[in-house]
Amino acid sequence: MAKTLYYRVGNLDNGKVVWTPDNSRSYDTGRSPSCSLNDEGVIAEVHQTHRDDSDKMYYHLGKLDGDQIAWAKTGGTNYDKGKCPSVSLNNSNVLVEVHQSPKSSYLDGGYSNAKSYRLFSRVGIIVNNAIEWNPDKATQFKDKSERPSISINNNNDLIIVEQKTRKYGSRNNTYWGHDGLKSQQGKVEDCKLFQQSTSVTFSSATDNTWPEVAVNDHGEVLAVFSKAGSDKLYYRTGKTSSNKLRINWNKEVINYTKGSHPSVSINNNGEVVEVHQASSGSKLWCKVGVLVDGKVTWDEGGSVNYTTGKSPSVSINNKNQVIEVHEQA
């Protein structure tokens, strides 16, 4: 069954996101959408196909036009094969993307083949309503992971977080399971991944899942994630390191609300917009805060229900413009 994808547009005003229009607007069908918005109003969106017999991934480009998005007439463009894509865009229209292997199973298929948990990243630039991808092959990561998230700032620093997997069991009875959350820092130059650090663990609990990350031009990093078997959502903050290409994570891991499938974005003023699914049911919730000295002060109004759906993704720019995409409930 086809899953309709929807978007919403809003503005951050006095600590609250004012969404316009009142209803979400459809733009395609698919699963696992991810979006990014720069200061010029340029938008990049990626998603995987809704078809179970296909592993194609597509992108859309667009631009903010009042209270809606003017999507490029080219429509959804197939750019690769894989699952769970994540995208980020900066003001130079440099775009970075990361995704799982098309053989990935979200650990529910019991694969014993390490190829099932490979991650790949691509770099491109938006020119004339199309992405000109670096002609080199997608970068394959050494880690065996799934559910990656990526963010790039205007200094071309990028951050990736991922859900690490590893093989458990004895030689005759092996299976793949979760092994905590990992992060790595990289640098883009000449439209390619020029430098890349080794991954480090920022959450060792094996039941933590669904990591999402955002970084601003000051190198402030904010990661959110959920806990399997629980309705608790957590965040952890850090700073990029220009010398060692390594994120200096703060020690505290803070429970900030209840829900699942979180997504987060941060601008240069430290203003944070977070969205997530309800713990049960189809409501989507939005939460707003400010990051100061490594901690987020959340708006006293708490989480606000703004629509229904699943798998939301959000992006805020330095003009306090906000976009959000999600799947049909």
Side-chain angles (χ1 to χ4, degrees):
M1 176 181 170
K3 289 282 189 179
T4 303
L5 298 177
Y6 296 91
Y7 77 86
R8 297 207 69 174
V9 173
N11 282 276
L12 183 62
D13 186 16
N14 291 322
K16 299 185 184 300
V17 176
V18 180
W19 298 102
T20 55
D22 293 335
N23 297 316
S24 303
R25 287 190 166 112
S26 62
Y27 67 94
D28 205 342
T29 58
R31 293 176 181 170
S32 299
S34 173
C35 66
S36 186
L37 167 70
N38 70 15
D39 292 343
E40 302 304 315
V42 178
I43 295 161
E45 182 272 357
V46 294
H47 63 271
Q48 69 185 66
T49 178
H50 68 273
R51 294 178 51 181
D52 293 330
D53 61 347
S54 176
D55 50 21
K56 291 182 178 180
M57 298 185 300
Y58 297 84
Y59 75 77
H60 281 274
L61 299 177
K63 191 160 187 178
L64 279 180
D65 183 15
D67 64 357
Q68 58 186 314
I69 297 174
W71 296 106
K73 295 181 179 179
T74 49
T77 302
N78 174 221
Y79 70 95
D80 209 334
K81 294 181 179 180
K83 292 183 177 181
C84 279
S86 175
V87 71
S88 187
L89 173 71
N90 67 17
N91 289 342
S92 299
N93 284 345
V94 172
L95 178 145
V96 290
E97 183 268 4
V98 65
H99 61 270
Q100 295 175 208
S101 161
K103 297 182 180 295
S104 300
S105 67
Y106 306 100
L107 288 178
D108 59 7
Y111 286 124
S112 60
N113 189 338
K115 291 182 179 179
S116 302
Y117 304 112
R118 294 181 299 182
L119 297 184
F120 298 87
S121 181
R122 303 189 65 175
V123 181
I125 189 166
I126 298 176
V127 178
N128 296 326
N129 285 327
I131 299 174
E132 292 185 358
W133 297 104
N134 185 291
D136 296 340
K137 291 183 178 180
T139 300
Q140 180 181 337
F141 298 105
K142 294 180 180 179
D143 289 339
K144 302 299 184 290
S145 300
E146 62 179 1
R147 193 59 191 84
S149 173
I150 197 167
S151 183
I152 189 172
N153 63 19
N154 289 314
N155 304 315
N156 282 343
D157 298 315
L158 66 86
I159 306 296
I160 296 174
V161 295
E162 62 204 62
Q163 187 167 325
K164 186 76 170 63
T165 61
R166 73 177 179 91
K167 189 181 289 187
Y168 292 84
S170 62
R171 183 171 61 178
N172 297 323
N173 184 25
T174 61
Y175 66 96
W176 284 82
H178 293 151
D179 190 28
L181 304 179
K182 293 209 167 189
S183 64
Q184 53 187 298
Q185 182 178 337
K187 189 80 172 179
V188 171
E189 290 188 13
D190 297 326
C191 204
K192 64 181 180 180
L193 188 57
F194 179 71
Q195 291 176 303
Q196 179 187 352
S197 69
T198 56
S199 61
V200 296
T201 299
F202 73 94
S203 174
S204 59
T206 58
D207 55 355
N208 286 339
T209 184
W210 205 271
E212 289 278 334
V213 72
V215 61
N216 64 18
D217 294 346
H218 305 304
E220 295 173 311
V221 180
L222 175 61
V224 294
F225 52 92
S226 60
K227 191 178 186 69
S230 166
D231 60 0
K232 292 182 178 180
L233 297 180
Y234 298 85
Y235 79 81
R236 190 173 184 181
T237 64
K239 288 276 289 185
T240 58
S241 171
S242 58
N243 295 328
K244 297 182 179 180
L245 275 184
R246 179 169 177 159
I247 304 164
N248 296 315
W249 291 103
N250 293 316
K251 291 183 178 181
E252 284 191 283
V253 176
I254 299 174
N255 170 221
Y256 67 94
T257 193
K258 295 181 179 181
S260 66
H261 299 76
S263 175
V264 73
S265 187
I266 182 172
N267 65 18
N268 288 342
N269 294 322
E271 292 163 314
V272 175
V273 177
E274 184 268 4
V275 294
H276 59 271
Q277 288 180 214
S279 303
S280 61
S282 59
K283 289 184 177 180
L284 296 181
W285 299 83
C286 178
K287 200 170 176 67
V288 173
V290 179
L291 176 63
V292 179
D293 296 331
K295 285 191 176 181
V296 179
T297 300
W298 299 101
D299 181 73
E300 294 180 354
S303 299
V304 177
N305 172 225
Y306 65 96
T307 191
T308 58
K310 60 186 295 187
S311 298
S313 174
V314 72
S315 183
I316 183 174
N317 65 15
N318 292 312
K319 296 179 179 179
N320 285 354
Q321 298 167 313
V322 179
I323 62 166
E324 182 268 2
V325 295
H326 60 271
E327 288 181 35
Q328 168 188 346

